[in-house]
Amino acid sequence: MKIQRSGLERWLAQQFGSPAHRRFSSGATYPNIPLSSPLPGVPKPIFATVDGQEKFETKVTTLDNGLRVASQNKFGQFCTLGILINSGSRYEAKYLSGIAHFLEKLAFSSTARFDSKDEILLTLEKHGGICDCQTSRDTTMYAVSADSKGLDTVVGLLADVVLHPRLTDEEIEMTRMAVQFELEDLNMRPDPEPLLTEMIHEAAFRENTVGLHRFCPVENIGKIDREVLHSYLKNYYTPDRMVLAGVGVEHEHLVECARKYLLGVQPAWGAPGAVDVDSSVAQYTGGIIKVERDMSNVSLGPTPIPELTHIMVGLESCSFLEEDFIPFAVLNMMMGGGGSFSAGGPGKGMFSRLYLNVLNRHHWMYNATSYHHSYEDTGLLCIHASADPRQVREMVEIITKEFILMGRTVDLVELERAKTQLMSMLMMNLESRPVIFEDVGRQVLATHSRKLPHELCTLIRNVKPEDIKRVASKMLRGKPAVAALGDLTDLPTYEHIQAALSSRDGRLPRTYRLFR
């Protein structure tokens, strides 16, 4: 039986001889073509080219009503776009606390054009879309990811959700239940980090701006209604406080859609009257917030988490608009840290100070992590630590010593490692389209422009050891903010923590007891 040979086999036989006579080593039988030369008979490849601009820049257009439209080119079938608003819990001083929390839960509910949340979701599904709303202390963000072909529909939907929500009694009642559940969950969850972050802000900025409650207090849940929400929306949901940001869209098309749906539109709460906007600058006060709580049964099961006391110590850093923001970001990366059971590996921060000096040396420490919160007029650098309640005093002293060491000599190797890790994290995060969207929106909202990744990397590379020492020394001159949660029997007094952070070595003042 004869086997039919394919065209490729016949061509190979013509070129190199039949398989029976072919030698499987280099020789005259094979054409000697270097890998740097194109293969014969293969079409010439066409490579993508870039002009001098590289098309990285973020385009920003301001409409007649003050609304900014920002877009970033990114190729692909899908786009991410949304509306970011200068609105959040820091602006609630004259209102019932918790309005921003309510608005987050009410987002993408019924509007003037859409009778229900289901109708909104079905409209988005036609374009493969998903939606989300997030509020922070200073920003509210409504976002959608969908097919780029549905841009007009999505911008119209976003405009309707932001400017024409119905806020029916039924929706508000459902939101009250959702907020109540979230508050209960916050107090029950084994990871207390969100609660501690709330407490440290409250301690650092006592009863002002970013120190106001981000979550709705229980006593306000029943008081927030449509009238209260409209009075807030009238002052803060104005075009001059908004940015329509898009990634993966044509800028001109986005501007055209913005003019169609967001220019000259009357919102559901009527035309804004005398706008009464809170423009207070954050006042750092320092102080302590303590919550005594039995944490012994917080995590039940076959392998329960041991009873822990959680401490967070913070100091005022700087705003993200200041030049010192980059050195502070590098310092935070240099401190690093994490949980005592974090998996190792490249980029996990296992060589950061809180790992080397704290977790590796003190086996009883359960967690030691550095955080940096930054806003447009202030910032907060803090360390969260947790351990057995009987070792709280020792834990606090270890943390105060680490703060003091920040202002000492900085090793060049650890500085370069921290800078490389920060640049790596920045570039890896900016691979994601939703992250680019948030970066574009937040930067344009705060500064009317955007610093590009390569510009930020240049600023990071330029940080020197003396910059770290300078910002740390300046920070250490301020009063500390302290948040404590759990069994606080052995917690040092606020005055002792303050004295330790003012000392040369970070040690707590000695205390003597007659009776143990």
Side-chain angles (χ1 to χ4, degrees), residues 343-363:
K348 294 284 179 69
M350 302 301 277
F351 287 92
S352 59
R353 283 192 181 184
L354 292 179
Y355 261 113
L356 295 176
N357 302 349
V358 178
L359 294 167
N360 288 3
R361 294 186 187 180
H362 307 282
H363 66 91

Side-chain angles (χ1 to χ4, degrees), residues 134 253 321 355 403 448 463:
Q134 292 177 8
H253 192 188
L321 300 175
Y355 261 113
F403 268 110
H448 295 253
V463 173

